[in-house]
């Protein structure tokens, strides 16, 4: 009695290149991409306990850091490779470069490989938006954006397009960065009726602001924002402090705020929280999203989102971009995993390649 051999499975890895990611965002619209990504982050944070989580693995050097960020649930494994090198702009390279993948937990087969440099900027802004929806005052209309580098446009558009910010105050020590930001977001700001102001100092930018987003890149303990700048009811997105030894706020700001974080074990190492004692109280954002903890509780409360970036957000971003790119027919298929007639005979790849060389050599000589 003969048995029918099982069909050989084919591992097809979908790939989203940097160029196609840009085309996708352009076709979909930046604000719509941010909306989709924020919705995915909220959905995944609401099932926080389904995921196997860990702090990212970092390799530090004098000029920057390289990190791996893994997360998994019962079906999917995701990771991101990302660097942070502020010196890169001197060499014509981005400060942040990233790529990542989604794999099948049951087999380990990589299903999706993607650029994550552009996508990381989107997901960081989308995460800030998710936090602000629950932590900022509902009547917030004015935001100060301190640090106008490569991620600033996405933060600005998330808050103008999806939170109702109508006055955006900008400050950067590099005037060219502010001019770049104003130029890039002008069409969206005009369509939303938002005013953009170039401010001469941090103090001028934050005075009267409902939301303050700090987004500087220097790898140091900087004092970008201090307690004298706080105002009742303010919400702070502290985005730039994201590795050991790199902070933007003074400890006094944290002491006077209700502090919310992504994944506490990671934030205590990398965020503004690294300045505080181990028992300093914080609330993880997923608890607020899932209804297990309160976010903003009063109009005068000062809230602070100590954002360092977490792997679950990258998982949300990867699945969002994969779905959008598939619908837009912008995914390629790459030959990342070999197809084997006998899965135990990996050497057959080498043998077959040698045979192909021997067969093609006489043809080349005749030509």
């Amino acid at each position: 009695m003969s048995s029918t051999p099982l069909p050989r499975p084919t591992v097809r890895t979908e790939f989203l290149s940097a160029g196609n990611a840009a085309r996708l965002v352009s076709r979909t619209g930046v604000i719509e991409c941010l909306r989709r990504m924020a919705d995915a982050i909220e959905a995944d944070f609401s099932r926080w306990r389904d995921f196997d989580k860990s702090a990212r693995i970092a390799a530090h050097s004098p000029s920057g850091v390289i990190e791996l960020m893994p997360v998994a649930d019962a079906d999917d494994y995701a990771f991101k490779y990302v660097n942070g090198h502020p010196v890169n702009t001197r060499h014509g390279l981005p400060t942040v470069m990233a790529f990542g993948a989604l794999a099948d937990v049951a087999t380990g087969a990589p299903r999706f490989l993607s650029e994550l440099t552009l996508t990381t900027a989107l997901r960081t802004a989308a995460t800030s938006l998710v936090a602000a929806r629950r932590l900022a005052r509902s009547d917030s209309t004015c935001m100060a954006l301190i640090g106008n580098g490569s991620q600033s446009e996405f933060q600005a558009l998330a808050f103008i397009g999806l939170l109702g910010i109508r006055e955006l105050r900008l400050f950067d020590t590099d005037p060219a960065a502010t001019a770049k930001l104003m130029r890039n977001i002008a069409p969206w700001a005009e369509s939303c009726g938002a005013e953009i102001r170039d401010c001469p100092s941090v103090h001028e930018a934050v005075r009267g602001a409902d939301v303050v987003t700090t987004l500087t890149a220097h790898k140091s303990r900087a004092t970008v924002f201090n307690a004298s700048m706080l105002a009742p009811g303010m919400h702070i997105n502290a985005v730039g402090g994201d590795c050991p030894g790199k902070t933007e706020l003074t400890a006094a700001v944290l002491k006077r705020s209700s502090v919310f974080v992504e994944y506490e074990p990671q934030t205590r190492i990398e965020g503004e929280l690294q300045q505080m004692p181990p028992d300093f109280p914080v609330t993880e954002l997923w608890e607020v999203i899932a209804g297990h903890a309160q976010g903003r509780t009063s109009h005068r409360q000062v809230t602070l989102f100590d954002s360092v970036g977490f792997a679950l957000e990258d998982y949300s971003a990867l699945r969002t971009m994969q779905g959008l790119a598939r619908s837009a027919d912008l995914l390629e298929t790459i030959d990342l995993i070999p197809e084997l007639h006998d899965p135990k005979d990996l050497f057959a790849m080498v043998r077959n390649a040698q045979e192909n060389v021997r067969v093609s050599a006489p043809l080349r000589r005749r030509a």
Side-chain angles (χ1 to χ4, degrees), residues 85-206:
H85 286 71
V87 299
N88 276 4
T89 53
R90 304 175 199 166
H91 310 298
L93 292 171
T95 297
V96 175
M97 297 176 282
F99 68 90
L102 287 174
D104 181 10
V105 165
T107 65
R111 297 195 309 267
F112 180 50
L113 180 66
S114 178
E115 81 78 40
L116 285 182
T117 306
L118 175 60
T119 302
T120 291
L122 287 162
R123 78 89 159 113
T124 303
T127 304
S128 295
L129 174 68
V130 168
R133 282 172 173 170
R134 288 162 173 80
L135 303 179
R137 297 194 328 270
S138 59
D139 62 350
S140 296
T141 59
C142 178
M143 181 169 86
L145 184 52
I146 313 304
N148 303 158
S150 62
Q151 293 200 22
S152 58
E153 286 86 353
F154 303 94
Q155 294 279 339
L157 292 178
F159 281 78
I160 289 173
L162 298 169
L163 198 75
I165 291 298
R166 291 297 172 264
E167 182 182 356
L168 188 64
R169 301 177 182 175
L170 311 178
F171 176 77
D172 195 295
T173 54
D174 178 9
T178 302
K180 174 268 307 179
L181 171 58
M182 296 181 73
R183 182 174 62 250
N184 283 340
I185 67 170
W188 285 274
E190 183 177 354
S191 67
C192 293
E195 177 189 358
I196 313 173
R197 289 179 51 197
D198 180 0
C199 297
S201 68
V202 174
H203 284 81
E204 179 67 22
V206 303

Side-chain angles (χ1 to χ4, degrees), residues 60-75:
H60 294 276
S61 67
S63 58
V65 62
I66 296 174
E67 299 167 330
L68 288 176
M69 302 172 64
V71 71
D73 66 4
D75 300 311

Side-chain angles (χ1 to χ4, degrees), residues 100-335:
L102 287 174
D104 181 10
V105 165
T107 65
R111 297 195 309 267
F112 180 50
L113 180 66
S114 178
E115 81 78 40
L116 285 182
T117 306
L118 175 60
T119 302
T120 291
L122 287 162
R123 78 89 159 113
T124 303
T127 304
S128 295
L129 174 68
V130 168
R133 282 172 173 170
R134 288 162 173 80
L135 303 179
R137 297 194 328 270
S138 59
D139 62 350
S140 296
T141 59
C142 178
M143 181 169 86
L145 184 52
I146 313 304
N148 303 158
S150 62
Q151 293 200 22
S152 58
E153 286 86 353
F154 303 94
Q155 294 279 339
L157 292 178
F159 281 78
I160 289 173
L162 298 169
L163 198 75
I165 291 298
R166 291 297 172 264
E167 182 182 356
L168 188 64
R169 301 177 182 175
L170 311 178
F171 176 77
D172 195 295
T173 54
D174 178 9
T178 302
K180 174 268 307 179
L181 171 58
M182 296 181 73
R183 182 174 62 250
N184 283 340
I185 67 170
W188 285 274
E190 183 177 354
S191 67
C192 293
E195 177 189 358
I196 313 173
R197 289 179 51 197
D198 180 0
C199 297
S201 68
V202 174
H203 284 81
E204 179 67 22
V206 303
R207 188 181 298 119
D210 306 307
V211 177
V212 175
T213 295
T214 57
L215 195 65
T216 60
H218 294 293
K219 190 180 178 184
S220 63
R221 289 195 181 276
T223 303
V224 175
F225 187 90
N226 61 50
S228 69
M229 303 176 189
L230 288 172
M234 185 178 279
H235 171 62
I236 305 155
N237 281 314
V239 181
D242 58 2
C243 69
K246 182 173 186 281
T247 58
E248 298 179 307
L249 315 180
T250 61
V253 173
L254 281 79
K255 291 175 182 177
R256 291 177 54 182
S257 305
S258 299
V259 179
F260 298 81
V261 301
E262 291 140 311
Y263 182 56
E264 184 179 345
Q266 179 174 299
T267 309
R268 289 202 179 271
I269 298 169
E270 300 178 349
E272 301 297 328
L273 202 55
Q274 65 188 278
Q275 305 176 71
M276 309 309 290
D279 60 348
F280 183 80
V282 298
T283 302
E284 290 186 330
L285 184 60
W286 76 270
E287 298 177 273
V288 180
I289 292 171
H292 301 317
Q294 289 184 303
R296 174 170 289 275
T297 58
S298 75
H299 195 74
R300 294 180 61 81
Q301 179 186 15
V302 175
T303 55
L304 192 161
F305 179 45
D306 188 359
S307 175
V308 298
F310 184 55
L312 184 51
E313 299 152 16
D314 298 309
Y315 167 72
S316 305
L318 280 164
R319 67 183 185 86
T320 299
M321 295 295 276
Q322 183 185 31
L324 288 171
R326 188 179 291 151
S327 298
D329 197 25
L330 285 172
L331 290 177
E332 304 170 54
T333 301
I334 58 174
D335 186 18

